[in-house]
């Protein structure tokens, strides 16, 4: 089977099985892959940048963005860094549900100055891991994510954390990931093997390149190559040089 699928499947993954794909419930192989992603990231992030802000996006829905954002932030925190995971999918947020936490307060409350404090969002699993749900769904997610207010909130948060990971909606569906691109250090693009379509990924890269975002690399979610069955991290350069490899 090639890297890309020609026809989309309807249900990408069994939704009731998602807990097995997250943080402390991960299988050994998956944990190792996320640790590798953590290590590789250190090589692609700009040297000496205090608190990089890393967006996680993909071309379409259901490719594993939220799973990747949760697990990446978890392995970073597990190693001792102070990490903030933000649910920046202000249209169909899923981080709070996946983590089983209260979603009534979150990013939009902080953006609106509604009195929410970041200390309220400390995770019960690790005391150096903070999880900020989306908050109430706003009418204008794209404008909000790219706003001056978001910029100043992020710059305040950067003083408190070592890493900020933002789970974003897909690039080809809405402009939110592109809107926030000038406020972040770089973007990780998730590709789901045997699901992501080549034309969709090309469109996604075109949009991200137009916004001048620094694409840090790609995560191959559910990759079946090289013994592992989970995520693999590839440098974006690979996709530039050999666009999308052998597809069939
Ligand atoms: N490697 C994996 N193996 C098995 N299931 C997975 C894997 N990655 C993600 N899933 C499952 O696939 C579903 C979609 O994943 P996820 O929510 O992370 O995707 P997404 O790209 O964030 O979707 P959306 O665009 O809707 O926000 C979830 O049920 C999740 O548990
Ligand atoms: Mg998601």
């Amino acid at each position: 089977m090639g890297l890309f699928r020609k026809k989309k499947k309807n249900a990408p993954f069994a939704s009731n099985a998602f807990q097995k794909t997250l943080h402390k419930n991960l299988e050994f192989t998956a944990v190792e892959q996320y640790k590798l992603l953590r290590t590789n990231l250190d090589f692609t992030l700009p040297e000496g940048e205090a608190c990089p802000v890393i967006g996680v996006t993909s071309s379409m829905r259901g490719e594993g963005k939220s799973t990747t954002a949760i697990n990446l932030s978890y392995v970073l925190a597990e190693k001792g860094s102070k990490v903030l995971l933000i649910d920046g999918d202000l249209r169909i947020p899923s981080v709070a549900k996946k983590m089983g936490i209260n979603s009534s307060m979150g990013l939009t409350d902080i953006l609106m100055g509604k009195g929410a404090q970041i200390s309220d969002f400390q995770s019960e699993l690790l005391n150096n891991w903070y999880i900020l749900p989306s908050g109430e769904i706003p009418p204008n997610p794209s404008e909000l994510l790219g706003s001056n207010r978001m910029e100043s909130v992020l710059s305040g948060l950067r003083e408190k954390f070592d890493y900020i990971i933002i789970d974003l909606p897909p690039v080809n569906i809405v402009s939110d990931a592109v809107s926030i691109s000038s406020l972040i250090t770089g973007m990780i693009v998730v590709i789901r093997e045997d699901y992501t379509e080549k034309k969709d990924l090309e469109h996604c890269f075109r949009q991200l390149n137009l916004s001048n975002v620094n694409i840090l690399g790609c995560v191959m979610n559910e990759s079946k190559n090289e013994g592992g069955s989970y995520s693999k991290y590839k440098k974006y350069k690979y996709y530039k040089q050999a666009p999308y490899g052998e597809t069939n």
Side-chain angles (χ1 to χ4, degrees), residues 21-22 34 37 56-57 63-75 85 98 165 167 188-191 218-222 230-233:
T21 66
L22 296 177
Y34 284 112
L37 168 60
V56 180
T57 192
E63 291 169 309
K65 297 175 287 296
S66 305
T67 306
T68 302
I70 292 171
N71 289 332
L72 172 61
S73 61
Y74 177 72
V75 292
L85 168 65
K98 282 178 165 52
I165 310 293
D167 179 25
I188 290 177
V189 178
V190 178
I191 301 166
C218 300
V219 165
M220 300 296 306
N221 189 27
E222 237 204 347
Y230 227 77
S231 308
K232 299 212 173 291
Y233 180 76

Side-chain angles (χ1 to χ4, degrees), residues 23 46 69 71 82 122 134 166 171 175:
H23 48 86
N71 289 332
K82 193 172 175 194
Q122 191 174 31
S134 61
I166 311 183
V171 170
S175 60

Side-chain angles (χ1 to χ4, degrees), residues 170-185:
V171 170
N172 295 8
I173 309 282
V174 286
S175 60
D176 307 12
V178 169
S179 300
I180 201 175
S181 58
S182 66
L183 308 184
I184 65 175
T185 310

Side-chain angles (χ1 to χ4, degrees), residues 13 38 73 79 87 94 101 110 132 134 159 183 188 190 217 242:
F13 301 100
R38 177 181 68 194
S73 61
K79 207 183 167 199
D87 193 342
S94 71
I101 58 174
I110 290 189
L132 184 60
S134 61
E159 288 171 16
L183 308 184
I188 290 177
V190 178

Side-chain angles (χ1 to χ4, degrees), residues 50-157:
C51 188
V53 180
I54 302 161
V56 180
T57 192
S58 74
S59 58
M60 303 299 277
R61 289 246 166 239
E63 291 169 309
K65 297 175 287 296
S66 305
T67 306
T68 302
I70 292 171
N71 289 332
L72 172 61
S73 61
Y74 177 72
V75 292
L76 285 165
E78 217 189 8
K79 207 183 167 199
S81 301
K82 193 172 175 194
V83 184
L84 172 64
L85 168 65
I86 300 178
D87 193 342
D89 191 336
L90 302 181
R91 295 169 194 265
I92 312 180
S94 71
V95 170
K97 185 174 174 217
K98 282 178 165 52
M99 296 298 303
I101 58 174
N102 188 340
S103 62
S104 57
M105 291 282 262
L107 175 63
T108 52
D109 300 279
I110 290 189
L111 287 172
M112 304 299 184
K114 285 194 187 161
Q117 298 296 320
I118 200 64
S119 52
D120 301 338
F121 300 98
Q122 191 174 31
S123 142
E124 284 175 6
L125 292 175
L126 294 171
N127 64 11
N128 52 332
W129 189 27
Y130 289 67
I131 300 166
L132 184 60
S134 61
E136 202 173 312
I137 294 179
N140 54 346
S142 192
E143 288 77 10
L144 212 53
L145 286 171
S147 65
N148 293 340
R149 184 79 194 118
M150 183 74 193
E151 186 173 16
S152 81
V153 164
L154 270 182
S155 84
L157 291 172

Side-chain angles (χ1 to χ4, degrees), residues 190-244:
V190 178
I191 301 166
R192 183 188 157 202
E193 187 162 323
D194 196 26
Y195 176 75
T196 300
E197 294 190 39
K198 180 180 172 185
K199 66 171 177 30
D200 291 334
L201 189 60
E202 284 173 336
H203 183 75
C204 169
F205 280 133
R206 261 198 307 279
Q207 295 304 310
L208 292 174
N209 283 329
L210 281 174
S211 76
N212 283 326
V213 68
N214 178 16
I215 302 176
L216 298 168
C218 300
V219 165
M220 300 296 306
N221 189 27
E222 237 204 347
S223 170
K224 291 155 194 89
N225 295 325
E226 297 160 37
S229 63
Y230 227 77
S231 308
K232 299 212 173 291
Y233 180 76
K234 304 236 186 220
K235 285 183 85 173
Y236 174 53
K237 211 167 116 214
Y238 169 80
Y239 293 92
K240 270 186 175 161
Q241 287 174 346
Y244 323 124

